[in-house]
Amino acid sequence: MRVGIFGGDLFWSNHPYEVFNFYQKIKTELGNASLILFKDDIRLNKTFSGREKFYFDKNIYAQCEDLITVKDWKGFCKLSEKFDLIYTSCKLVPKTRQVPNIRKHLKCKVCVWDAPGVDILVDSQYFASQWIVKGQMWKEYLLNAPETDKLVKENQIKIDTCPAFRRY
């Protein structure tokens, strides 16, 4: 099974290694995985001035032996045909942007994890085919929300922790 972990188009400075930690976990469990980022991703290209209120080591991402970079959404959708499953956060893009008809262009299943403090119902039902949620309450909510009732089925949801809190 070919699995990818996609960083998306959204970066949380308070969880700079969330995507990398999830990639490591999946690679350890399955024996292989690819980390997918945009070529212009901040995790690969940030130059720090010293005045930022956050810091991360971009080499952790840049030196990943299984790193695949894509130029844009079209490149990501094309790359998806090489995978059986791609994991990503439930926030694929910031609220100010959308990727029109992305589900139509994806060539594999997409499973989203529920990051802390992120509303899984904002847009994941429009691109995901599987979900990892924090508890039964979230599962029920996802199944019964008006925006998702025809898009999400019970067998597509697994209850587990998000990668940021798995160690607890």
Side-chain angles (χ1 to χ4, degrees), residues 53-97:
K53 296 191 190 258
F54 68 94
Y55 175 81
F56 62 91
D57 183 356
K58 69 181 180 183
N59 290 322
I60 287 175
Y61 286 99
Q63 295 174 0
C64 175
E65 63 185 25
D66 300 306
L67 177 64
I68 299 172
T69 59
V70 292
K71 179 181 176 190
D72 53 24
W73 286 106
K74 185 177 179 181
F76 172 67
C77 290
K78 174 90 172 117
L79 179 68
S80 71
E81 68 189 21
K82 296 182 180 181
F83 292 90
D84 299 301
L85 178 66
I86 294 177
Y87 288 97
T88 190
S89 170
C90 61
K91 282 301 297 165
L92 200 57
V93 295
K95 292 178 189 177
T96 56
R97 287 195 295 276

Side-chain angles (χ1 to χ4, degrees), residues 12 21-22 35 54 109 122 153:
W12 298 97
N21 292 343
F22 196 74
L35 177 63
F54 68 94
K109 292 183 178 182
V122 173
K153 306 293 180 242

